[in-house]
Structure formats: C-alpha cells, structure tokens
C-alpha cells in the first residue's frame, strides 16, 4: 500500500477499523483500503477472515461493518467529486455549452427511444424476399434455376480438369524425353529448366481457370439475386398476374429424375443406418432422435448432377429451412491451420466450389475473416497473459510458433446455402491424440464437441452430424473404437429448453458391417431408448 501512495491521486487510501472481543481480550482490526474499491466485498471479507484468523461467530458482523464502511466512504468520495465539479462550473473553468452537449450526446446514445433505427442491409432484405418466395409456388422455379447454375459450374470444372490433365500428360511425355537424353545431349541444368517451365505453365493455367470460375460465380450470384428481387416485386403487384405466371413457370431442369438406364451410376451408394428415439432430462424429459449412419462425411454436402427424386427433396428441404429455426449442422475434423489446402479441408473446399452460394460469402472469404479473428483473439490473450505470467505456458509456446493457428478443441464455423443437407459447418481442430486413440473424457476434442452442442442449442441448429469415432477414415479400428465417448450428450437436456433435436452419429464408410452393428447395440445401452407399447383389446364378453 505504501508503494501506491506516491502515485497520482486517482485512488484515496482509507483505514477500516473494526473492534471486537475474543474471550477476555479486546481486539482491533485495521485494514487500509484503496478507494474506489473495485474488488468484491465478499471476497475481501473472506480473505480478512482467513488471514487474521477471526472467530467465526463475528463473521456476519464483520461483513456488515465492512460493507457499510465501503458504501459510506464511496458516497463521500462521490459527493466530494460532485462538489469539485460544481466549483469548476461556477468559477468558469468548464465550458457550459460543451458540457451540455456531451451530456445530450451520452443520453441519446444510451437511451433506446433516441437510438437511430438500424438501416436494413441488402443481405437482410434478400433473406426476407427469398424466404417468402421459397414458401410460394415459385419454389420449384428457384430450385431449378439453382440446379441449372450448378450444372453450368460443374461443366466448367470438368472442362478445367480435362485441360489440366492434358497439360500434365503432355508435360510428362516431354520430361520422359528429357530424362532419356540426360547425359547424352542434355545435362541436369536442362532438366531443371524444363521442370521450372512445366511448373510455371501449370500455375498459369490454374490461375486462369480460378479467375474464370470466380467471375462466373459472381455473375451467377448477381443475376440470381436480381431475378429473385424482381420476381418478388412483381408478386406484390396484382395487375401483373399473366407476367408473373410466365416468370414462375417451371422450366425443364436436370433436377428431375432421369429415366435412362445409365442413370444408376449417379445414384448414391446404399448406406447403413439405424434410428433411435431417446429421452434426456432428470424430471422433465425431452425426446431426441438419434441416427447411426455409415457414410462419407462429404455425402451430406455434395449435389448430384443427375440425382434421383430424393436429391430434389433434399434441395427443397435445405432451402425451406435456410432462414428458419431448424438449421442443420455438420462437424468436420480439421488440423490447426485455417486454410483449405490439404486433406479433408481441401476436399470440402472443392465440394463448396461446385455450386455458387447465393446467400453467404464464398468459403475463401469466410476463412480469411476467421484468420483475422484468430489473430485478434491471440493478440488480446497475449496481452492478458503478459499481465499474469506463468499461466498456460505450454499453450503460449504453441501459439507463439504461429499465432494464426488454432488450438485442439477450438473450432470455427462456416455458413453455406449451396450444400446438399447442411447449413453450418463446425471445423473442429483435433490433434494426433485423437488419431492415435489416446483420448480421455476431458480431451480438448471432447470439450470442443461439448461446446459445439452448446452453440447448436443456442443458435437454432436442430440437426447436427457428428463423427462418432472422431475420425473420417478407419486407418486403425482398434484405436478409433476407444473414442466412443458420449457423456456430453447427457447435458443437452439442460441446454436446449425442451426442444427436440436430431443427432446423427457418423461412422466412416469403410467400417465393416459387423462393427457398425456392434456400435448400434451400444446406443440403447448408453441412452434411455423409448420402447413401443402394444395395446390389445379384450374381446371376451
């Protein structure tokens, strides 16, 4: 306390005096306090009781006396500051006009009745228009238009892949000739030169196609949004009924079920699945649906150019619930880099680019925004840890290596309107412990899943797909099977406010049928599965 006395008069130190009897002795407790007191009175009272070994029978008396002292001295300080402010006002040290303007501005900024109404944004307006149209007779036209745009992008991607494949084949043939002449008419420098030329040519071709695809998706998004808004405006006018009927007339689309014999090659591979109904909660039971599904995780994201009738229904269901309180989410297991360059992240990015997103920014823009948020969060956390050194040293070392990376158990969310059955994707960071099966109930990955479920319960995501074994492929069945940890599901009953949800537990497509059915028998043992009750009537008499 003596150290602070030499500082500026922002804080005033006062002495709290408390007298009490302990047996035959009269005791006096004196504690210097710095005002204004920012710490919690109960915490301060507890520390005084512990440090000075004060008898428990005067605990309440001490707390009351301490609270009254802090309150009265704080009021005296406020009164003193008010008197000084009034003196400055009467002596002319403060500009009255400037003071009244500051008060007026503060009042208007903090009072709701004087707040400026928020200006509606284009995205919000478009969301309202789309939600109204998708629930109208124009819904089928919207879906057909979206699918035609998807087919156009798919054909462009196929053309790109074919051109890149031809380039690689031609370069491979050239390199084979060069290697054949190595040591005769060519040297190592010539080989390096040819390899550099090949790499540059491939980069130029890929950049050209990337630019073209980006331009096409931007044009599609602008055309689509303008057409939707114009159609909605025409629907508001009753005198344009013939024009409207022409606009919403269903155009032929490849979205309908194909009739040719070759269409089977585009149908989905049969997937194994089991469904259960469970009840969670101690007193007030809430019913939830569980599904155990054997499928590839990207099957919930991909569209089919020549799908079955189910493809059209999935598109419709996803579109109807896009701006609703029944969203669908998917957990994707990723590494600690917020990129889309390798592994499952690259595969997911390829799927996301196959169809234009007419409602949200593209995946690359969303990842760039996440990277900026991560850097800002790391900077804030670093500044706090400098004030309290020694806490979380191991995490600090990991963050210092690359502050743009995320830690195991952390996740970021991307929003999509162009995926088959998913609106939100949770990119959950997992480390080698999960892949090796060295995992416990307190592992960061498990805690990350717990936090994801909390987000689902607070943000209207009623269907969530989770990799049950915390892997997307079955490289080691024995170690992956150890990851069957579902305790966090029990807490959902206290989070969701009694709302029924659907949780899909996903197992890799390469898992054996035997193991799939072994896992399906474990679900009824872990959760309270609803049983059917058969009622029979008594016909006697």
């Amino acid at each position: 306390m003596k150290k602070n006395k030499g500082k500026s008069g922002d804080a005033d130190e006062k002495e709290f005096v408390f007298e009490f009897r302990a047996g035959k002795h009269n005791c006096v407790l004196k504690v210097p306090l710095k005002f204004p007191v920012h710490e919690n009175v109960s915490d301060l009272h507890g520390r005084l009781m512990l440090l000075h070994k004060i008898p428990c029978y005067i605990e309440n008396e001490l707390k009351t006396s301490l609270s009254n002292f802090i309150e009265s001295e704080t009021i005296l300080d406020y009164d003193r500051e008010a008197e000084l402010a009034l003196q400055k006002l009467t002596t002319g040290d403060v500009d009255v006009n400037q003071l009244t303007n500051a008060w007026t501005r503060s009042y208007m900024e903090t009072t709701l009745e004087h707040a400026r109404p928020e200006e509606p944004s284009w995205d919000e307006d478009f969301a309202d228009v789309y939600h109204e149209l998708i629930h109208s007779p124009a819904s089928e036209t919207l879906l057909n238009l979206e699918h035609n745009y998807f087919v156009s992008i798919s054909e462009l991607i196929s053309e790109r892949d074919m051109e890149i494949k031809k380039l690689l084949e031609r370069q491979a043939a050239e390199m084979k000739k060069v290697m054949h002449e190595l040591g005769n008419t060519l040297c190592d420098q010539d080989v390096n030169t040819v390899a550099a030329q090949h790499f540059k040519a491939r980069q130029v071709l890929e950049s050209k196609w990337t630019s073209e695809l980006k331009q096409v998706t931007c044009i599609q998004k602008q055309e689509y949004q303008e057409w939707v808004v114009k159609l909605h405006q025409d629907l508001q006018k009753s005198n344009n009924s013939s024009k409207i009927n022409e606009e919403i007339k269903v155009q032929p689309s490849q979205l309908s079920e194909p009739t040719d014999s070759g269409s089977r090659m585009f149908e989905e591979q049969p997937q194994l699945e089991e469904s259960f109904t469970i009840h969670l909660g101690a007193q007030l039971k809430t019913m939830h649906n569980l599904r155990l599904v054997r499928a590839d995780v990207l099957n919930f994201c991909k569209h089919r150019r020549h799908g079955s009738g189910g493809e059209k229904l999935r598109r419709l269901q996803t579109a109807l619930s896009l701006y609703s309180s029944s969203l669908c989410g998917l957990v994707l297991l990723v590494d600690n880099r917020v990129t889309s360059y390798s592994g499952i992240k690259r595969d997911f990015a390829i799927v996301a680019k196959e169809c234009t997103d007419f409602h949200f920014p593209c995946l690359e823009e969303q990842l760039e925004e996440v990277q900026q948020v991560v850097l800002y969060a790391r900077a804030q956390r670093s500044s706090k840890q400098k004030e309290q050194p020694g806490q979380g040293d191991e995490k600090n070392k990991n963050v210092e290596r690359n502050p743009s990376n995320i830690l195991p158990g952390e996740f970021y969310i991307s929003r999509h309107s162009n995926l088959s059955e998913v609106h939100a994707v949770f990119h959950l960071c997992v480390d080698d412990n999960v892949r090796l099966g060295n995992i416990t109930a307190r592992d960061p990955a498990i805690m990350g899943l717990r936090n994801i479920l909390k987000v689902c319960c607070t943000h209207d995501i009623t269907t969530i797909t989770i990799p049950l074994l915390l892997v997307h492929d079955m490289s080691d069945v024995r170690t992956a099977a150890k990851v069957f940890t579902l305790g966090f599901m029990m807490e959902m009953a206290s989070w969701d406010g009694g709302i029924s949800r659907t949780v899909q537990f996903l197992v890799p497509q390469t898992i054996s049928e035997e193991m799939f059915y072994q896992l399906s028998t474990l679900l009824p043992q872990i959760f309270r599965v609803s049983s059917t009750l058969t009622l029979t009537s008594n016909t006697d008499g």
Side-chain angles (χ1 to χ4, degrees):
M1 304 301 291
K2 292 180 181 178
K3 205 172 181 182
N4 294 330
K5 284 185 178 179
K7 293 186 179 180
S8 112
D10 294 337
D12 184 19
E13 189 174 283
K14 300 178 182 180
E15 190 173 58
F16 168 66
V17 180
F18 178 70
E19 298 180 1
F20 63 95
R21 286 185 61 84
K24 298 180 180 180
H25 303 284
N26 291 324
C27 303
V28 180
L29 173 66
K30 296 182 178 181
V31 181
L33 295 176
K34 193 166 66 172
F35 283 81
V37 178
H38 298 293
E39 58 186 318
N40 187 275
V41 176
S42 298
D43 294 341
L44 177 60
H45 167 257
R47 289 203 303 273
L48 293 178
M49 291 288 297
L50 181 63
L51 293 175
H52 299 279
K53 299 180 179 179
I54 297 176
C56 61
Y57 58 85
I58 61 170
E59 178 179 356
N60 293 333
E61 185 181 352
L62 173 62
K63 186 173 184 179
T64 303
S65 178
L66 180 63
S67 300
N68 292 338
F69 175 78
I70 292 176
E71 183 179 358
S72 61
E73 292 297 331
T74 302
I75 292 174
L76 287 176
D77 282 346
Y78 287 152
D79 290 343
R80 194 177 301 112
E81 291 178 4
E83 288 292 339
L84 291 174
L86 288 174
Q87 288 179 10
K88 291 181 180 179
L89 190 62
T90 54
T91 57
D93 295 338
V94 178
D95 185 1
V96 178
N97 294 328
Q98 184 178 358
L99 186 61
T100 53
N101 290 336
W103 284 356
T104 304
R105 184 171 61 254
S106 298
Y107 180 77
M108 294 182 66
E109 289 176 353
T110 56
T111 308
L112 182 62
E113 62 179 324
H114 294 288
R116 293 181 180 178
E118 293 185 5
E119 296 181 1
S121 65
W122 164 260
D123 292 336
E124 292 175 350
D125 289 342
F126 179 73
D128 293 337
V129 168
Y130 179 84
H131 185 72
E132 185 175 339
L133 286 181
I134 201 65
H135 290 81
S136 72
S139 60
E140 191 167 1
T141 304
L142 290 177
L143 294 180
N144 287 338
L145 182 59
E146 291 177 9
H147 185 75
N148 289 335
Y149 278 140
F150 160 66
V151 172
S152 176
I153 292 291
S154 298
E155 291 174 350
L156 205 60
I157 291 176
S158 299
E159 188 178 344
R160 177 203 63 185
D161 294 342
M162 182 61 67
E163 191 168 340
I164 292 177
K165 181 182 177 182
K166 289 180 179 179
L167 175 66
L168 293 177
E169 290 175 351
R170 187 169 65 253
Q171 289 180 347
E174 291 177 5
M175 183 58 71
K176 186 176 180 180
K177 291 180 181 179
V178 170
M179 295 301 296
H180 183 71
E181 295 296 328
L182 181 62
N184 297 328
T185 59
L186 299 176
C187 61
D188 291 341
Q189 182 64 32
D190 297 322
V191 175
N192 293 336
T193 302
V194 172
Q197 291 173 351
H198 287 177
F199 179 74
K200 184 177 180 180
R202 188 169 65 188
Q203 273 194 324
V204 169
L205 183 61
E206 289 177 350
S207 298
K208 169 214 163 190
W209 278 106
T210 300
S211 176
E212 185 170 347
L213 282 169
K214 186 175 182 179
Q215 183 179 6
V216 170
T217 54
C218 288
I219 293 174
Q220 285 187 355
K221 186 172 184 177
Q222 182 178 356
E223 287 180 351
Y224 180 85
Q225 291 185 344
E226 290 177 353
W227 182 84
V228 167
V229 171
K230 181 177 180 298
L231 176 61
H232 182 265
Q233 291 173 348
D234 291 341
L235 285 172
Q236 305 301 315
K237 304 173 184 177
S238 58
N239 57 348
N240 285 340
S241 56
S242 59
K243 182 180 178 182
I244 294 171
N245 291 334
E246 184 66 26
E247 286 189 30
I248 67 173
K249 184 179 179 181
V250 178
Q251 299 296 325
S253 163
Q254 299 179 28
L255 188 58
S256 57
E257 185 173 357
T259 55
D260 58 313
S261 59
S263 65
R264 292 185 178 181
M265 63 181 294
F266 298 105
E267 293 182 359
E268 288 186 25
Q269 304 249 340
Q271 61 182 24
L272 293 176
E273 62 179 69
E274 290 279 347
S275 298
F276 306 89
T277 301
I278 65 170
H279 289 89
L280 296 179
Q283 296 180 349
L284 182 61
K285 304 293 184 183
T286 305
M287 186 176 69
H288 301 277
N289 298 316
L290 294 186
R291 293 181 66 212
L292 181 65
V293 183
R294 186 186 75 170
D296 186 271
V297 64
L298 296 181
N299 284 354
F300 295 91
C301 307
K302 293 178 181 177
H303 290 292
R304 275 72 175 171
R305 287 181 60 179
H306 303 276
S308 61
E311 173 70 12
K312 185 173 182 178
L313 293 177
R314 279 192 295 270
R315 272 182 172 269
L316 179 60
Q317 180 60 38
T318 305
L320 289 173
S321 57
L322 180 59
Y323 295 105
S324 72
S325 57
S326 301
L327 301 175
C328 299
L330 172 71
V331 177
L332 199 66
L333 305 177
V334 299
D335 57 31
N336 62 349
R337 296 182 297 275
V338 187
T339 60
S340 58
Y341 299 138
S342 61
I344 190 68
K345 297 184 299 183
R346 180 177 179 273
D347 297 337
F348 173 72
I350 291 174
V351 173
K353 291 178 182 177
E354 289 179 350
C355 188
T356 302
D357 196 319
F358 301 109
H359 301 263
F360 306 114
C362 65
L363 181 62
E364 287 79 5
E365 293 180 13
Q366 294 191 50
L367 293 183
E368 288 176 4
E369 185 176 352
V370 170
Q371 289 172 351
Q372 297 301 318
V373 172
V374 170
L375 288 173
Y376 176 77
R378 293 288 181 258
Q380 294 293 316
R381 184 179 298 178
S382 177
S383 62
K384 289 183 180 179
Q385 288 170 345
K386 286 179 182 178
E387 300 173 359
Q388 300 175 347
Q391 296 185 0
D393 290 336
E394 190 62 32
K395 284 187 176 181
N396 293 343
K397 292 178 182 178
N398 294 334
V399 170
E400 286 174 1
R401 294 191 190 106
N402 193 338
S404 64
N405 290 350
I406 61 176
L407 299 174
E410 295 180 336
F411 61 91
Y412 52 94
I413 305 172
S414 58
R415 302 171 298 161
H416 306 273
S417 67
N418 58 338
L419 303 182
S420 177
E421 303 176 50
V422 178
H423 302 111
V425 177
F426 297 87
H427 306 254
L428 174 63
C429 176
V430 295
D431 54 12
D432 292 336
N433 288 334
V434 171
R435 298 183 183 91
L436 298 175
N438 302 326
I439 191 171
T440 63
R442 302 295 297 179
D443 190 89
I446 297 297
M447 301 308 295
L449 281 177
R450 180 176 178 272
N451 292 330
I452 287 174
L453 281 179
K454 275 190 174 181
V455 172
C456 292
C457 291
T458 55
H459 290 78
D460 296 329
I461 297 178
T462 56
T463 300
I464 181 69
T465 302
I466 301 174
L468 177 61
L469 305 178
L470 292 183
V471 290
H472 290 312
D473 55 41
M474 292 303 296
S475 56
D476 191 339
V477 174
R478 292 174 302 155
T479 56
K482 297 178 184 177
V483 190
F484 195 81
T485 308
L486 299 172
F488 56 86
M489 275 288 298
M490 301 301 182
E491 299 182 52
M492 258 183 49
S494 61
W495 298 338
D496 61 6
I499 298 176
S500 179
R501 301 182 186 277
T502 299
V503 179
Q504 297 186 134
F505 291 118
L506 186 67
V507 294
Q509 201 167 19
T510 53
I511 198 174
S512 65
E513 288 192 26
E514 180 183 0
M515 186 158 206
F516 174 85
Y517 289 114
Q518 285 178 2
L519 294 175
S520 68
T521 58
L522 286 176
L523 286 177
Q525 299 174 20
I526 295 175
F527 300 105
R528 187 189 299 274
V529 177
S530 302
S531 56
T532 57
L533 182 63
T534 304
L535 299 178
T536 58
S537 59
N538 188 1
T539 56
D540 296 339

